[in-house]
Every structure is written in C-alpha cells, then in structure tokens.
Amino acid sequence: MEQTTAVAHVTSKTWESEVLKSDVPVFVDFWAEWCGPCRMVGPAVEQIGKLMQGKIKVAKVNVDENQEIAMKYGIQSIPSLLLFKGGNEIGRTIGAMPKESYLKFIESTLAKA
C-alpha cells in the first residue's frame, strides 16, 4: 500500500494487518473530525510519523467510522494515543500534548517493553 504521508489511516478491515501484525511497534491516534484537540494533535502525529519512520509505524483510527475498534480498546475520550507492539497494547496516553511529550512517551514505553 502506497502512502503519501507518514501516517496510515486504519479501518476495521485493515486493523489486524496494519497494527496487530505489524513487525514494528505502532503508535495509534484514535480521533474524530469533530474533536478540536484531535485536530491540534494531527500535525504532531504526522511529524512523529516522519521522524520515526522505520522505527515505528504511525496510524490514525477515526472512532466514528470504526466504533468496534474503539470499543474493543475501551476508548472513552479522544484523542487517545495507544502504542502497540507484537499485537498487544503496551501503553496509552490520553489528551492533546506537544510532539515532544508523545516522543518521550513512545521512547520510554518501548524501553520498558
């Protein structure tokens, strides 16, 4: 699948192949169009995708279009950003933060995994 950006837009159909079966850790942004903080986080998520290309995969899941994934992972508020490795969730952070905070979260979570 060709990508024009550093972020994969994942749906229920592609969730397993893109996230659960990924050979690299996946940082997943659960978001929605109507969510103001989600739109603020978008550019940071894109930058993380570019910065960490090859180390991790960055993906976005629209919770309105993919409610079953959101329900499966107990997404109560958005933006929720979850880190997956080997098909398992290894960490999550909720709410809008600057890019540096997300990078620290990713690095420290991966260091413990």
Short mmCIF file of all heavy atoms in Angstrom, two decimals, residues 28-74:
data_model
loop_
_atom_site.label_atom_id
_atom_site.label_comp_id
_atom_site.label_asym_id
_atom_site.label_seq_id
_atom_site.Cartn_x
_atom_site.Cartn_y
_atom_site.Cartn_z
N VAL A 28 -0.91 4.52 17.61
CA VAL A 28 -2.23 4.71 17.01
C VAL A 28 -2.95 5.89 17.65
O VAL A 28 -3.14 5.93 18.86
CB VAL A 28 -3.11 3.45 17.15
CG1 VAL A 28 -4.45 3.64 16.43
CG2 VAL A 28 -2.39 2.21 16.61
N ASP A 29 -3.36 6.83 16.80
CA ASP A 29 -4.12 8.01 17.23
C ASP A 29 -5.60 7.74 17.00
O ASP A 29 -6.03 7.60 15.86
CB ASP A 29 -3.64 9.22 16.41
CG ASP A 29 -4.42 10.50 16.67
OD1 ASP A 29 -5.17 10.56 17.66
OD2 ASP A 29 -4.26 11.45 15.88
N PHE A 30 -6.37 7.63 18.08
CA PHE A 30 -7.82 7.50 17.98
C PHE A 30 -8.40 8.90 18.00
O PHE A 30 -8.20 9.64 18.96
CB PHE A 30 -8.37 6.67 19.16
CG PHE A 30 -8.08 5.21 19.04
CD1 PHE A 30 -6.88 4.68 19.48
CD2 PHE A 30 -9.02 4.35 18.48
CE1 PHE A 30 -6.61 3.33 19.37
CE2 PHE A 30 -8.75 2.98 18.36
CZ PHE A 30 -7.56 2.48 18.81
N TRP A 31 -9.13 9.28 16.95
CA TRP A 31 -9.57 10.66 16.77
C TRP A 31 -10.94 10.70 16.09
O TRP A 31 -11.48 9.68 15.70
CB TRP A 31 -8.55 11.42 15.93
CG TRP A 31 -8.58 10.97 14.50
CD1 TRP A 31 -8.12 9.78 13.99
CD2 TRP A 31 -9.15 11.66 13.39
NE1 TRP A 31 -8.35 9.70 12.65
CE2 TRP A 31 -8.99 10.85 12.24
CE3 TRP A 31 -9.76 12.91 13.25
CZ2 TRP A 31 -9.43 11.24 10.99
CZ3 TRP A 31 -10.20 13.27 11.98
CH2 TRP A 31 -10.03 12.44 10.87
N ALA A 32 -11.48 11.93 15.95
CA ALA A 32 -12.72 12.15 15.20
C ALA A 32 -12.68 13.56 14.60
O ALA A 32 -12.02 14.45 15.14
CB ALA A 32 -13.93 12.01 16.12
N GLU A 33 -13.40 13.73 13.48
CA GLU A 33 -13.45 15.02 12.77
C GLU A 33 -13.87 16.18 13.68
O GLU A 33 -13.34 17.26 13.60
CB GLU A 33 -14.45 14.95 11.61
CG GLU A 33 -13.99 14.18 10.40
CD GLU A 33 -12.87 14.87 9.64
OE1 GLU A 33 -12.71 16.10 9.76
OE2 GLU A 33 -12.15 14.16 8.92
N TRP A 34 -14.87 15.93 14.52
CA TRP A 34 -15.47 16.99 15.33
C TRP A 34 -14.67 17.34 16.58
O TRP A 34 -15.02 18.25 17.31
CB TRP A 34 -16.90 16.58 15.75
CG TRP A 34 -16.94 15.19 16.32
CD1 TRP A 34 -17.25 14.04 15.65
CD2 TRP A 34 -16.63 14.80 17.66
NE1 TRP A 34 -17.16 12.96 16.49
CE2 TRP A 34 -16.78 13.39 17.73
CE3 TRP A 34 -16.24 15.49 18.81
CZ2 TRP A 34 -16.54 12.67 18.90
CZ3 TRP A 34 -16.01 14.77 19.97
CH2 TRP A 34 -16.16 13.37 20.01
N CYS A 35 -13.58 16.64 16.82
CA CYS A 35 -12.82 16.79 18.06
C CYS A 35 -11.71 17.83 17.87
O CYS A 35 -10.74 17.59 17.16
CB CYS A 35 -12.24 15.43 18.44
SG CYS A 35 -10.94 15.46 19.67
N GLY A 36 -11.88 19.00 18.50
CA GLY A 36 -10.89 20.08 18.39
C GLY A 36 -9.49 19.68 18.81
O GLY A 36 -8.52 19.86 18.06
N PRO A 37 -9.32 19.10 20.02
CA PRO A 37 -7.98 18.67 20.44
C PRO A 37 -7.36 17.65 19.49
O PRO A 37 -6.15 17.64 19.29
CB PRO A 37 -8.21 18.06 21.82
CG PRO A 37 -9.47 18.71 22.32
CD PRO A 37 -10.32 18.96 21.09
N CYS A 38 -8.20 16.80 18.87
CA CYS A 38 -7.68 15.82 17.91
C CYS A 38 -7.04 16.53 16.72
O CYS A 38 -5.99 16.12 16.23
CB CYS A 38 -8.79 14.91 17.39
SG CYS A 38 -9.58 13.92 18.66
N ARG A 39 -7.68 17.60 16.26
CA ARG A 39 -7.13 18.35 15.13
C ARG A 39 -5.82 19.04 15.52
O ARG A 39 -4.92 19.18 14.70
CB ARG A 39 -8.15 19.36 14.61
CG ARG A 39 -9.28 18.67 13.84
CD ARG A 39 -10.00 19.61 12.91
NE ARG A 39 -10.66 20.70 13.61
CZ ARG A 39 -11.89 20.64 14.12
NH1 ARG A 39 -12.58 19.53 14.02
NH2 ARG A 39 -12.40 21.68 14.71
N MET A 40 -5.71 19.45 16.78
CA MET A 40 -4.45 20.05 17.25
C MET A 40 -3.32 19.02 17.27
O MET A 40 -2.18 19.35 17.01
CB MET A 40 -4.64 20.64 18.67
CG MET A 40 -5.45 21.92 18.67
SD MET A 40 -6.02 22.42 20.33
CE MET A 40 -4.68 21.97 21.41
N VAL A 41 -3.65 17.79 17.60
CA VAL A 41 -2.67 16.72 17.71
C VAL A 41 -2.21 16.23 16.33
O VAL A 41 -1.09 15.78 16.17
CB VAL A 41 -3.27 15.55 18.54
CG1 VAL A 41 -2.47 14.28 18.39
CG2 VAL A 41 -3.39 15.95 20.00
N GLY A 42 -3.09 16.37 15.32
CA GLY A 42 -2.80 15.85 13.98
C GLY A 42 -1.42 16.16 13.45
O GLY A 42 -0.68 15.24 13.07
N PRO A 43 -1.01 17.45 13.43
CA PRO A 43 0.33 17.76 12.89
C PRO A 43 1.46 17.11 13.68
O PRO A 43 2.44 16.66 13.10
CB PRO A 43 0.40 19.29 13.00
CG PRO A 43 -1.03 19.74 13.05
CD PRO A 43 -1.79 18.64 13.73
N ALA A 44 1.32 17.01 15.00
CA ALA A 44 2.36 16.36 15.82
C ALA A 44 2.46 14.89 15.45
O ALA A 44 3.55 14.33 15.33
CB ALA A 44 2.04 16.53 17.30
N VAL A 45 1.29 14.25 15.26
CA VAL A 45 1.27 12.83 14.90
C VAL A 45 1.95 12.62 13.54
O VAL A 45 2.74 11.70 13.36
CB VAL A 45 -0.18 12.30 14.92
CG1 VAL A 45 -0.27 10.90 14.32
CG2 VAL A 45 -0.74 12.32 16.34
N GLU A 46 1.65 13.52 12.57
CA GLU A 46 2.30 13.45 11.24
C GLU A 46 3.83 13.56 11.39
O GLU A 46 4.58 12.82 10.77
CB GLU A 46 1.83 14.61 10.35
CG GLU A 46 0.41 14.50 9.87
CD GLU A 46 0.26 13.68 8.60
OE1 GLU A 46 1.27 13.48 7.89
OE2 GLU A 46 -0.86 13.23 8.33
N GLN A 47 4.28 14.53 12.21
CA GLN A 47 5.72 14.74 12.39
C GLN A 47 6.38 13.53 13.03
O GLN A 47 7.49 13.15 12.64
CB GLN A 47 5.98 16.00 13.23
CG GLN A 47 5.64 17.28 12.49
CD GLN A 47 5.62 18.50 13.41
OE1 GLN A 47 5.69 18.40 14.62
NE2 GLN A 47 5.51 19.67 12.80
N ILE A 48 5.70 12.92 14.00
CA ILE A 48 6.25 11.72 14.64
C ILE A 48 6.39 10.61 13.59
O ILE A 48 7.38 9.89 13.56
CB ILE A 48 5.36 11.28 15.82
CG1 ILE A 48 5.49 12.30 16.96
CG2 ILE A 48 5.74 9.87 16.31
CD1 ILE A 48 4.44 12.18 18.05
N GLY A 49 5.38 10.50 12.72
CA GLY A 49 5.45 9.51 11.64
C GLY A 49 6.67 9.69 10.78
O GLY A 49 7.35 8.72 10.41
N LYS A 50 6.99 10.95 10.45
CA LYS A 50 8.17 11.22 9.61
C LYS A 50 9.46 11.01 10.40
O LYS A 50 10.40 10.39 9.91
CB LYS A 50 8.12 12.65 9.09
CG LYS A 50 7.03 12.86 8.05
CD LYS A 50 7.09 14.26 7.46
CE LYS A 50 5.98 14.49 6.46
NZ LYS A 50 4.83 15.20 7.01
N LEU A 51 9.50 11.53 11.63
CA LEU A 51 10.70 11.44 12.47
C LEU A 51 11.10 10.00 12.77
O LEU A 51 12.27 9.68 12.84
CB LEU A 51 10.46 12.13 13.82
CG LEU A 51 10.65 13.63 13.89
CD1 LEU A 51 10.15 14.14 15.24
CD2 LEU A 51 12.11 13.99 13.70
N MET A 52 10.10 9.15 12.98
CA MET A 52 10.39 7.79 13.46
C MET A 52 10.17 6.74 12.37
O MET A 52 10.04 5.56 12.68
CB MET A 52 9.56 7.51 14.71
CG MET A 52 9.89 8.48 15.82
SD MET A 52 9.34 7.96 17.44
CE MET A 52 10.55 6.72 17.86
N GLN A 53 10.12 7.18 11.11
CA GLN A 53 9.93 6.25 10.01
C GLN A 53 10.98 5.15 10.07
O GLN A 53 12.16 5.44 10.28
CB GLN A 53 10.01 6.99 8.67
CG GLN A 53 8.95 6.56 7.72
CD GLN A 53 8.66 7.62 6.66
OE1 GLN A 53 9.40 8.57 6.51
NE2 GLN A 53 7.58 7.45 5.93
N GLY A 54 10.55 3.91 9.93
CA GLY A 54 11.48 2.79 10.00
C GLY A 54 11.59 2.23 11.41
O GLY A 54 11.90 1.06 11.58
N LYS A 55 11.36 3.06 12.44
CA LYS A 55 11.44 2.59 13.83
C LYS A 55 10.06 2.16 14.32
O LYS A 55 9.92 1.12 14.96
CB LYS A 55 11.97 3.69 14.75
CG LYS A 55 13.42 4.07 14.50
CD LYS A 55 13.90 5.00 15.62
CE LYS A 55 15.15 5.75 15.23
NZ LYS A 55 14.88 7.03 14.56
N ILE A 56 9.07 3.01 14.04
CA ILE A 56 7.69 2.67 14.40
C ILE A 56 6.79 3.05 13.24
O ILE A 56 7.18 3.81 12.36
CB ILE A 56 7.20 3.40 15.69
CG1 ILE A 56 7.06 4.91 15.45
CG2 ILE A 56 8.06 3.08 16.89
CD1 ILE A 56 6.27 5.63 16.53
N LYS A 57 5.57 2.52 13.29
CA LYS A 57 4.55 2.90 12.32
C LYS A 57 3.58 3.81 13.06
O LYS A 57 3.32 3.60 14.25
CB LYS A 57 3.84 1.65 11.83
CG LYS A 57 2.82 1.91 10.72
CD LYS A 57 1.96 0.69 10.47
CE LYS A 57 2.71 -0.41 9.76
NZ LYS A 57 1.80 -1.53 9.38
N VAL A 58 3.07 4.82 12.39
CA VAL A 58 2.08 5.72 12.99
C VAL A 58 0.77 5.55 12.23
O VAL A 58 0.76 5.54 11.00
CB VAL A 58 2.57 7.18 12.97
CG1 VAL A 58 1.49 8.12 13.50
CG2 VAL A 58 3.84 7.33 13.80
N ALA A 59 -0.31 5.38 12.99
CA ALA A 59 -1.62 5.15 12.37
C ALA A 59 -2.68 6.00 13.05
O ALA A 59 -2.52 6.40 14.21
CB ALA A 59 -1.98 3.67 12.49
N LYS A 60 -3.76 6.28 12.31
CA LYS A 60 -4.89 7.02 12.85
C LYS A 60 -6.15 6.18 12.66
O LYS A 60 -6.31 5.56 11.62
CB LYS A 60 -5.07 8.36 12.13
CG LYS A 60 -3.96 9.36 12.43
CD LYS A 60 -4.13 10.63 11.64
CE LYS A 60 -5.19 11.53 12.18
NZ LYS A 60 -4.74 12.62 13.02
N VAL A 61 -7.02 6.19 13.67
CA VAL A 61 -8.30 5.49 13.58
C VAL A 61 -9.40 6.50 13.88
O VAL A 61 -9.43 7.11 14.95
CB VAL A 61 -8.38 4.31 14.58
CG1 VAL A 61 -9.78 3.71 14.58
CG2 VAL A 61 -7.34 3.26 14.27
N ASN A 62 -10.29 6.69 12.91
CA ASN A 62 -11.45 7.57 13.11
C ASN A 62 -12.47 6.78 13.93
O ASN A 62 -13.01 5.77 13.45
CB ASN A 62 -12.02 7.98 11.75
CG ASN A 62 -13.18 8.95 11.89
OD1 ASN A 62 -14.04 8.81 12.74
ND2 ASN A 62 -13.18 9.94 11.02
N VAL A 63 -12.73 7.22 15.17
CA VAL A 63 -13.59 6.45 16.07
C VAL A 63 -15.04 6.43 15.61
O VAL A 63 -15.78 5.48 15.89
CB VAL A 63 -13.51 6.94 17.53
CG1 VAL A 63 -12.11 6.70 18.09
CG2 VAL A 63 -13.90 8.40 17.68
N ASP A 64 -15.47 7.45 14.88
CA ASP A 64 -16.86 7.47 14.38
C ASP A 64 -17.06 6.40 13.31
O ASP A 64 -18.12 5.79 13.22
CB ASP A 64 -17.21 8.85 13.80
CG ASP A 64 -17.37 9.89 14.90
OD1 ASP A 64 -17.62 9.51 16.06
OD2 ASP A 64 -17.22 11.09 14.60
N GLU A 65 -16.04 6.18 12.49
CA GLU A 65 -16.15 5.23 11.39
C GLU A 65 -15.75 3.81 11.80
O GLU A 65 -16.01 2.86 11.08
CB GLU A 65 -15.27 5.69 10.21
CG GLU A 65 -15.76 7.00 9.60
CD GLU A 65 -14.75 7.63 8.66
OE1 GLU A 65 -13.72 6.99 8.34
OE2 GLU A 65 -14.99 8.78 8.24
N ASN A 66 -15.07 3.69 12.93
CA ASN A 66 -14.55 2.38 13.36
C ASN A 66 -14.85 2.16 14.84
O ASN A 66 -13.95 1.92 15.64
CB ASN A 66 -13.04 2.32 13.10
CG ASN A 66 -12.72 2.54 11.64
OD1 ASN A 66 -12.86 1.65 10.82
ND2 ASN A 66 -12.32 3.75 11.29
N GLN A 67 -16.13 2.23 15.19
CA GLN A 67 -16.53 2.17 16.59
C GLN A 67 -16.17 0.85 17.27
O GLN A 67 -15.87 0.84 18.46
CB GLN A 67 -18.03 2.43 16.72
CG GLN A 67 -18.37 3.87 16.37
CD GLN A 67 -19.86 4.16 16.44
OE1 GLN A 67 -20.69 3.26 16.50
NE2 GLN A 67 -20.19 5.43 16.43
N GLU A 68 -16.17 -0.24 16.50
CA GLU A 68 -15.87 -1.52 17.14
C GLU A 68 -14.43 -1.58 17.65
O GLU A 68 -14.16 -2.16 18.70
CB GLU A 68 -16.19 -2.72 16.22
CG GLU A 68 -15.54 -2.73 14.85
CD GLU A 68 -16.06 -1.67 13.86
OE1 GLU A 68 -17.15 -1.08 14.05
OE2 GLU A 68 -15.36 -1.42 12.88
N ILE A 69 -13.49 -0.95 16.94
CA ILE A 69 -12.10 -0.92 17.42
C ILE A 69 -12.03 -0.06 18.68
O ILE A 69 -11.42 -0.45 19.67
CB ILE A 69 -11.13 -0.36 16.34
CG1 ILE A 69 -11.14 -1.25 15.10
CG2 ILE A 69 -9.72 -0.27 16.90
CD1 ILE A 69 -10.36 -0.67 13.93
N ALA A 70 -12.66 1.11 18.64
CA ALA A 70 -12.66 2.00 19.80
C ALA A 70 -13.26 1.30 21.02
O ALA A 70 -12.73 1.40 22.13
CB ALA A 70 -13.43 3.28 19.47
N MET A 71 -14.35 0.57 20.81
CA MET A 71 -14.99 -0.15 21.92
C MET A 71 -14.09 -1.26 22.44
O MET A 71 -13.94 -1.45 23.64
CB MET A 71 -16.34 -0.72 21.50
CG MET A 71 -17.41 0.36 21.42
SD MET A 71 -18.94 -0.21 20.64
CE MET A 71 -19.41 -1.53 21.75
N LYS A 72 -13.46 -1.98 21.52
CA LYS A 72 -12.60 -3.10 21.91
C LYS A 72 -11.47 -2.64 22.84
O LYS A 72 -11.09 -3.34 23.77
CB LYS A 72 -12.00 -3.77 20.67
CG LYS A 72 -11.13 -4.97 20.99
CD LYS A 72 -10.61 -5.67 19.75
CE LYS A 72 -9.74 -6.85 20.17
NZ LYS A 72 -9.04 -7.43 19.04
N TYR A 73 -10.95 -1.45 22.60
CA TYR A 73 -9.83 -0.94 23.40
C TYR A 73 -10.28 0.05 24.47
O TYR A 73 -9.45 0.71 25.09
CB TYR A 73 -8.74 -0.36 22.49
CG TYR A 73 -8.08 -1.46 21.70
CD1 TYR A 73 -8.50 -1.77 20.42
CD2 TYR A 73 -7.10 -2.26 22.28
CE1 TYR A 73 -7.95 -2.83 19.71
CE2 TYR A 73 -6.55 -3.33 21.60
CZ TYR A 73 -6.97 -3.60 20.32
OH TYR A 73 -6.42 -4.67 19.64
N GLY A 74 -11.59 0.16 24.68
CA GLY A 74 -12.11 0.99 25.76
C GLY A 74 -11.78 2.46 25.62
O GLY A 74 -11.44 3.12 26.60
#
